[in-house]
Amino acid sequence: MSASPLHVLVIGYAWPEPTSPAAGGHMMQILESFLAHGWRITFSSPAAIGKHKADLASLGIGEQVIELNGDSFERFVSELAPDVVLFDRFMMEEQFGWRVEKHCPDALRVLETSELQSLREARHVLLRRRLTHGLDPNDFRELFATSGPDLYRQMAPTDLTQRELAAIYRCDLSLMISDVEINLLVNGFGVPPDLLHWCPLMLQVPSTAPRPFAERAHFISIGNLRHAPDWDAVLWMKHNIWPMIRRRLPDAQLHIYGAYAPAKAAALHSVEDGFLMFERADDALEVMGKARVCLAPLRFGAGIKSELTDALQVGTPSVTTPIGTEAMHGALPWPGLVSGTAEGLVEAAASLYSDEARWNQAQRDTRQLLGARYDRRWHSQTLVERIEQTLQDLPAQRLYNFTGAMLRHHQHKNAQYLEQWLEAKNRLTDDAADKCP
């Protein structure tokens, strides 16, 4: 254990928004874990500050707006001298990692991956390929069953995968929200397990009983509509799935809450069809807790799905695909129904919505799953312990992570060459200006 509280610098891709989907909520859970252990935190980001930003200052967290380019960040990080630097997604490590290496070489480098973006993109490519080849637009069982080796072959040649894996190797520890992704990295790409830590969403079992079947109505879907998998699911529901459900349940409605909804989303709204589009839910758990079934027909994606963990917390059974349940429930029963076809999802939705006994069992399963897999106290404690242990063993770990050392070396050297080139270019420009009459 550390003799004094650690000082953690977070370099955020965005300022955390607790009411936004998984990434913002997960970052807040990580910060709260550090605060509970008495650590000092400074949160920095080059992103614009949005109106839904968390009030970090009220939690005792320092805030600093940083620039993507220029010397100000280097002065800032050098003066701050943090013990731990947490990069929020690999793009932040790419941009700022070499500067941290230059000024704070002994700081522990932690990467919050949020999800494997390269896995999500590979699945998106496979989906588009299937759709453009004119295959059945409602049967995706073969797509969902894509094997690990096939995913590796799709991912390995891509620039995105190579960038993401390079950042994982350059860091001392990467936080993985999905144990399925850990398995892919270790057994597919050969990443040493010592570089990875399973850290899913950290949740609590509610102290009050969820609303019963009779007090709920309608279907619900919640997402970030700038997030490609969520938008794709909305379109699939609109054009394929919901019309079939509506024929089975003519009085049912589908309420879709979308953060960052594009203007084109408004055109999908139809009171006559019971397909209702809403803006961001101020309280996602409140609206989720009033719905009878969560509908999440995801055709591609990665990580774990925030709307499904929202459903777990308020006892709302769900209907989704194998992509939706991936890394969510382990060996425990899924609290709802799962299908890989549009027709199967429609049958599951109609059955779960109408069958009170089946619905009640699914609701009981939400509580079991929440306590067994997402326990906040356990994951918070193991995260802190893993960081402290890795910091203690840092010299040995870096010695044996030769690939990471090599990648950091070249990243740093390339940055030096770029700086030297820019300095030389500026000198030439200044000399030319001096010679002008």
Side-chain angles (χ1 to χ4, degrees), residues 153-208:
R153 283 189 285 271
Q154 178 64 39
M155 294 170 64
T158 68
D159 175 73
L160 182 59
T161 300
Q162 293 169 18
R163 291 171 55 199
E164 196 164 25
L165 267 289
I168 288 172
Y169 270 105
R170 284 192 297 262
C171 288
D172 304 301
L173 189 66
S174 289
L175 308 184
M176 306 300 302
I177 207 167
S178 162
D179 51 359
V180 171
E181 292 175 4
I182 291 177
N183 181 64
L184 178 62
L185 289 176
V186 172
N187 297 311
F189 289 91
V191 175
D194 289 348
L195 298 181
L196 308 174
H197 177 73
W198 180 48
C199 184
L201 295 182
M202 296 177 265
L203 308 172
Q204 291 179 323
V205 177
S207 57
T208 57

Side-chain angles (χ1 to χ4, degrees), residues 405-417:
M406 179 173 60
L407 289 168
R408 283 197 304 273
H409 170 79
H410 284 289
Q411 184 189 51
H412 186 60
K413 285 297 182 184
N414 289 340
Q416 284 184 321
Y417 296 148

Side-chain angles (χ1 to χ4, degrees), residues 59-77:
L59 300 175
I61 297 174
E63 299 181 8
Q64 179 66 46
V65 176
I66 55 177
E67 297 178 352
L68 286 174
N69 300 303
D71 299 329
S72 60
F73 176 80
E74 296 193 38
R75 292 194 297 271
F76 162 67
V77 75

Side-chain angles (χ1 to χ4, degrees), residues 254-305:
L254 173 58
H255 297 180
I256 298 178
Y257 292 85
Y260 304 108
K264 58 187 176 182
L268 304 180
H269 183 85
S270 172
V271 174
E272 181 181 355
D273 297 329
F275 195 93
L276 308 181
M277 300 291 298
F278 298 93
E279 295 183 354
R280 169 202 296 265
D282 292 331
D283 188 332
L285 295 182
E286 180 182 5
V287 295
M288 181 67 77
K290 294 177 180 178
R292 186 172 292 178
V293 173
C294 173
L295 191 56
L298 294 158
R299 295 195 288 188
F300 70 100
I304 59 178
K305 319 310 178 293

Side-chain angles (χ1 to χ4, degrees), residues 102-122:
K102 178 179 177 181
H103 295 283
C104 304
D106 296 327
L108 180 72
R109 301 157 62 104
V110 181
L111 177 63
E112 156 62 345
T113 61
S114 181
E115 64 177 11
L116 274 185
Q117 295 183 42
S118 51
L119 173 60
R120 183 189 72 204
E121 179 57 25

